[in-house]
Amino acid sequence: MDAKFIPSQEPAILSIGVRPLKAIFHFNDYNRDEFVASIAGQLPPGTKVLDAGAGPCRYKPLFQHCQYESQDFAQYDGENHRYGQLDYVGDIATIPVADGYFDCVLCTEVLEHLPEPELAIAEFARIVKSGGRLILTAPLGSGIHMAPYHYFGGFSRHWYDYVLPKHGFEVKSIQPNGGFFKLYGQESQRFLSILTPRSIPARALFSPVKMVLALWFRLLMPLVGYLLDPLDRQRDFTVGYFVIALRK
């Protein structure tokens, strides 16, 4: 196993009552939010942070003690999507700041939406000071979303190990966001959503059946997947990775 690869540290048996239900039924977002919060908590006051591809700037409250700035191309106009107050609007590969301007760059769930993601990595290497941090999250596998701005299904841990050192980063850790069983539980919820008819009459007829199926696909399978997930030691089937790298 790669020394930089950090499997989940969750115990095999975990009391359901000690964690929010979101950790079970929406673990993808929950774990990512917890990861970013842990990073924010480690940064000293006044740290210059760029949230690259920030979208709605959902993580801005976590960095109130820092000098938080945000960037996005701001061209996606999908339903219910809103952008936050952005400091830089434009290409993520050409951010108008001096070399080594930021102490930390955060880029969450963005790489799959870039036609040339390595250009963004090169730009992060330019704008992060020596010794600064690069924090990345991206899926390993996902369905198409934010179309047409979706170019890659995901990135393996080997991609980070290959690309980041090319641009002067030292990979400190690559942590999977859950294993196969959690992934299976997540997709079981999606199974029922896709199965549900789109037309109103058909949906009404399907409703009683859906109520029964929901007990299995939306309740039991995510719960069972959550409890069994520590048994997956390999973690080659994961939602995605949390990556920490340092600029040399």
Side-chain angles (χ1 to χ4, degrees):
M1 181 181 292
D2 192 318
K4 304 182 186 73
F5 180 67
I6 303 177
S8 172
Q9 301 301 312
E10 291 180 359
I13 301 297
L14 182 63
S15 171
I16 300 303
V18 302
R19 302 190 75 184
L21 291 178
K22 188 176 180 181
I24 301 173
F25 298 99
H26 301 283
F27 78 91
N28 189 355
D29 286 342
Y30 179 87
N31 289 348
R32 189 184 314 117
D33 292 347
E34 290 288 292
F35 170 70
V36 176
S38 71
I39 295 297
Q42 298 171 22
L43 299 178
T47 300
K48 290 183 179 180
V49 177
L50 175 68
D51 191 349
C57 301
R58 63 183 290 179
Y59 294 123
K60 184 176 182 178
L62 298 176
F63 296 93
Q64 291 183 357
H65 62 297
C66 298
Q67 182 179 320
Y68 172 94
E69 298 183 11
S70 57
Q71 175 279 334
D72 207 296
F73 80 147
Q75 294 182 24
Y76 179 68
D77 59 357
E79 185 178 0
N80 298 325
H81 184 82
R82 298 289 184 272
Y83 287 97
Q85 185 174 352
L86 302 171
D87 297 284
Y88 307 101
V89 176
D91 190 349
I92 197 171
T94 56
I95 298 170
V97 298
D99 295 356
Y101 181 79
F102 291 103
D103 301 302
C104 178
V105 170
L106 171 71
C107 184
T108 63
E109 309 302 292
V110 174
L111 294 177
E112 71 272 25
H113 300 294
L114 306 177
E116 298 179 275
E118 193 168 343
L119 294 181
I121 300 299
E123 180 68 347
F124 298 158
R126 182 187 71 81
I127 65 177
V128 175
K129 73 177 185 179
S130 178
R133 299 190 192 190
L134 174 61
I135 310 300
L136 300 171
T137 80
L140 173 62
S142 70
I144 292 176
H145 57 285
M146 294 186 71
Y149 305 107
H150 188 184
Y151 304 101
F152 294 92
F155 301 85
S156 77
R157 64 180 186 263
H158 305 294
W159 186 87
Y160 300 107
D161 270 329
Y162 174 74
V163 171
L164 293 178
K166 285 175 58 179
H167 297 281
F169 288 104
E170 178 186 359
V171 180
K172 302 302 292 184
S173 67
I174 301 176
Q175 180 181 352
N177 185 4
F180 170 78
F181 294 105
K182 278 188 176 180
L183 174 61
Y184 189 85
Q186 173 182 276
E187 297 310 310
S188 73
Q189 298 179 74
R190 198 186 315 275
F191 177 89
L192 189 55
S193 296
I194 295 175
L195 187 64
T196 302
R198 296 292 177 254
S199 69
I200 295 178
R203 197 183 313 164
L205 291 173
F206 183 70
S207 182
V209 178
K210 183 176 181 178
M211 292 179 63
V212 175
L213 294 177
L215 292 174
W216 177 260
F217 289 106
R218 288 189 173 167
L219 180 62
L220 291 179
M221 284 310 302
L223 179 58
V224 170
Y226 175 82
L227 293 174
L228 292 180
D229 202 65
L231 300 178
D232 176 16
R233 302 298 183 184
Q234 194 73 17
R235 297 193 175 268
D236 285 338
F237 290 89
T238 181
V239 171
Y241 294 98
F242 304 150
V243 181
I244 301 174
L246 294 182
R247 183 74 169 92
K248 295 179 181 178

